[in-house]
Amino acid sequence: MTENPLRIAIIIGSTRAGRFGPTVGSWFADEAARREDMVVDIVDVADALPPSAFGTAVSDGFADVTASLQAADAYVVVTCEYNHSFPGTLKNLIDTHFSEWRAKPVGFVSYGGLAGGLRSVEHLRGVFAELHAVTVRDTVSFHAPWNWFGEDGTPQDAEGAGAAAKGMLDQLSWWGNALREARAVRPYGS
Ligand SMILES: Cc1cc2nc3c(=O)[nH]c(=O)nc-3n(C[C@H](O)[C@H](O)[C@H](O)COP(=O)(O)O)c2cc1C
C-alpha cells in the first residue's frame, strides 16, 4: 500500500428488491481494492433513504453514509438506467449532500439494457458539475450484465472488464491526488 492511499467511496445507486447493483458494485470494489494506491469504502444508497430529498427525519444509516462521503477523496457511482436516466434514490443521496462533493473527482460504472446505463452517466455529469465535482472521462459500462456476470460475481470477459476498470481508476487516481493536494494548499472556493 502506498503511504497515503486515496479513499474511494463506491456508491451503489439502486435500491429495488432483486437489484443487480450490488453484483456490479462488488466486482468493481474488488478491482479497486487490489490497487496499492486506494482504500475502498462501499456506500449503499439503500442504507441512506431519507423520506424525501429535503425531509427532516433521517436514519442512522444516513448519518453513516454521510460520514463515508465526507471522508472520501474520490467517488465511483455505480448506476443503472431507469427510463433513460439514473435512479431517483441516487438523486436523493446526491441532493442531500453538498460540501462532500466539492472539488473531488467522480467516476462511473454503469449498467442497464442496450445502452448500458450510459444515458444515466451523461445526466449525472451535469448534476455533479453543479456540485463543483469533476467527472472523469472513461466509464466502465455493461449492457445486459445479467448475461455477463457468472454465479461467482465476475464478468465473463474478466480481462477486458478489468482493463476498463483500471483505465477509469487511473484517471480517478490522478484527479483524486491532484485535487487532494490542491485543496490542502488552497481550500476550494475561498
Ligand atoms: C422501471 C425500469 C425502467 C428501466 N428503464 C430502462 C431504460 O430506460 N434503459 C435501459 O437500458 N434499461 C432500463 N431498465 C433495465 C435496468 O437498467 C436493469 O433492469 C438494471 O438491472 C436495473 O438496475 P437494478 O437491477 O440495480 O435495479 C429499466 C428497468 C426498470 C425496472
Side-chain angles (χ1 to χ4, degrees), residues 28-48:
F28 188 81
D30 287 347
E31 294 291 311
R34 262 194 234 122
R35 295 174 65 109
E36 295 288 304
D37 58 344
M38 300 180 169
V39 290
V40 172
D41 193 11
I42 295 187
V43 171
D44 192 338
V45 173
D47 295 334

Side-chain angles (χ1 to χ4, degrees), residues 1-35:
M1 189 59 65
T2 53
E3 197 180 320
N4 192 11
L6 276 191
R7 294 187 68 87
I8 310 291
I10 297 176
I11 301 168
I12 297 176
S14 66
T15 58
R16 75 182 177 96
R19 64 197 168 135
F20 205 79
T23 302
V24 178
S26 298
W27 164 77
F28 188 81
D30 287 347
E31 294 291 311
R34 262 194 234 122
R35 295 174 65 109

Side-chain angles (χ1 to χ4, degrees), residues 2-172:
T2 53
E3 197 180 320
N4 192 11
L6 276 191
R7 294 187 68 87
I8 310 291
I10 297 176
I11 301 168
I12 297 176
S14 66
T15 58
R16 75 182 177 96
R19 64 197 168 135
F20 205 79
T23 302
V24 178
S26 298
W27 164 77
F28 188 81
D30 287 347
E31 294 291 311
R34 262 194 234 122
R35 295 174 65 109
E36 295 288 304
D37 58 344
M38 300 180 169
V39 290
V40 172
D41 193 11
I42 295 187
V43 171
D44 192 338
V45 173
D47 295 334
L49 290 175
S52 77
F54 303 104
T56 48
V58 295
S59 64
D60 289 350
F62 188 82
D64 292 345
V65 162
T66 297
S68 293
L69 294 178
Q70 261 166 9
D73 300 307
Y75 306 99
V76 173
V77 176
V78 179
T79 185
C80 63
E81 183 169 311
Y82 294 145
N83 299 318
H84 288 205
S85 195
F86 57 90
T89 45
L90 175 58
K91 184 67 161 55
N92 215 29
L93 179 86
I94 296 168
D95 290 345
T96 47
H97 296 85
F98 179 62
S99 59
E100 289 80 2
W101 312 115
R102 284 173 80 94
K104 294 180 188 172
V106 184
F108 300 102
V109 177
S110 71
Y111 61 98
L114 281 179
L118 289 171
R119 286 173 287 225
S120 297
V121 172
E122 293 310 310
H123 293 178
L124 282 162
R125 290 186 191 281
V127 172
F128 278 111
E130 173 63 14
L131 289 160
H132 303 254
V134 177
T135 60
V136 305
R137 178 187 182 275
D138 286 11
T139 298
V140 180
S141 173
F142 297 97
H143 69 274
W146 41 89
N147 293 332
W148 287 79
F149 280 76
E151 290 290 313
D152 64 354
T154 58
Q156 271 170 28
D157 178 15
E159 198 178 322
K166 180 183 181 311
M168 187 266 268
L169 285 167
D170 285 348
Q171 293 169 15
L172 194 77

